[in-house]
């Protein structure tokens, strides 16, 4: 039985900004507001994803303009249990931010009252289990349940496929495409949605328009200045630099 008057659990918050001064200011504001546990800081997109994998924060205070992967791209790759509050000096990204299901959009310099209001919005949301617990459940689900089948169109017929048979999904002329048994099929799912849905079953996004089945990776090779992954069905796909570290980690390879 819970104690009468027990305090609600603190929100776990990750602070993301490429400027150290901005990160320190946000940290001080959060400490003054209370009710949060600071899960760490990050200065760029790759670091954000690493911190999220380590600590599974509930909230990310996310800058939009950052070197390399910007905040909007980072938001596409966050798990659904991680709520985004954008923090930026630029008004023009607001529409795109809310298309990424942002909880709020705070303009710098950020007022403590607005920050508190944004955090309260997160608290009011009907959230599923916390990030760490959800990751554990997803691992169990992936081990004991069948993956969701993929519905693909070919001509006037919609067919259902077990995604574990598919080595690669890629974007092509506005569609998501895969090949199986020598045939080409079209999906209505976006690459981002597909990567999120199939992640528990070993699929990983390796490029803006590429998702691969890690279980069907045969080799990685260098080709000019790029890294190419070879797949069991004979296909190959280029790995973007920003995704290479995550791919090597998923395959159990050294990052160098």
């Amino acid at each position: 039985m819970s104690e009468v008057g027990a305090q609600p659990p603190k929100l776990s918050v990750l602070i993301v900004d490429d400027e150290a001064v901005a990160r320190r200011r946000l940290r001080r504001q959060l400490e003054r507001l209370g009710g949060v546990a600071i899960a760490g800081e990050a200065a760029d997109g790759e670091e954000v994803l690493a911190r999220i994998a380590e600590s599974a924060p509930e909230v990310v205070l996310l800058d939009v303009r950052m070197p390399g992967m910007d905040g909007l791209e980072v938001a596409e790759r966050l798990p659904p249990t991680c709520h985004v509050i954008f923090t930026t000096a630029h008004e023009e990204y607001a529409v795109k931010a809310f298309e990424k299901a942002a909880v709020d959009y705070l303009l710098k310099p950020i007022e403590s009252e607005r920050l508190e209001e944004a955090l309260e919005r997160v608290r009011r949301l009907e959230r599923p289990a916390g990030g760490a617990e959800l990751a554990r459940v997803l691992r169990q689900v992936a081990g004991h349940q069948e993956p969701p089948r993929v519905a693909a169109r070919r001509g006037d017929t919609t067919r259902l496929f077990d995604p574990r048979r598919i080595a690669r999904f890629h974007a092509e002329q506005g569609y998501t495409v895969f090949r199986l048994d020598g045939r080409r099929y079209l999906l209505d799912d976006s690459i981002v949605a597909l990567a999120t849905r199939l992640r528990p079953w070993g699929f990983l996004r390796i490029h803006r328009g590429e998702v691969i089945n890690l279980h069907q990776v045969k080799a990685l090779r260098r080709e000019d200045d790029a890294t190419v992954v070879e797949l069991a069905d004979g296909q190959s796909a280029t790995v973007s630099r920003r995704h290479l570290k995550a791919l090597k980690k998923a395959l159990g390879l050294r990052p160098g």
Side-chain angles (χ1 to χ4, degrees), residues 157-178:
T157 303
T158 299
R159 301 181 185 276
L160 299 175
F161 297 87
D162 184 334
R164 291 171 296 189
R165 298 183 58 213
I166 300 167
R168 170 188 178 228
F169 298 92
H170 67 282
E172 185 178 306
Q173 297 181 344
Y175 294 97
T176 298
V177 178
F178 71 89

Side-chain angles (χ1 to χ4, degrees), residues 162-169 179-180 201-203 212-219 229-236 251:
D162 184 334
R164 291 171 296 189
R165 298 183 58 213
I166 300 167
R168 170 188 178 228
F169 298 92
R179 301 179 190 278
L180 186 66
W201 286 272
F203 286 79
I212 62 166
N213 185 342
L214 294 170
H215 300 293
Q216 297 208 31
V217 174
K218 290 181 61 179
V229 59
E230 296 179 3
L231 301 167
D233 66 351
Q235 292 189 83
S236 61
L251 295 173

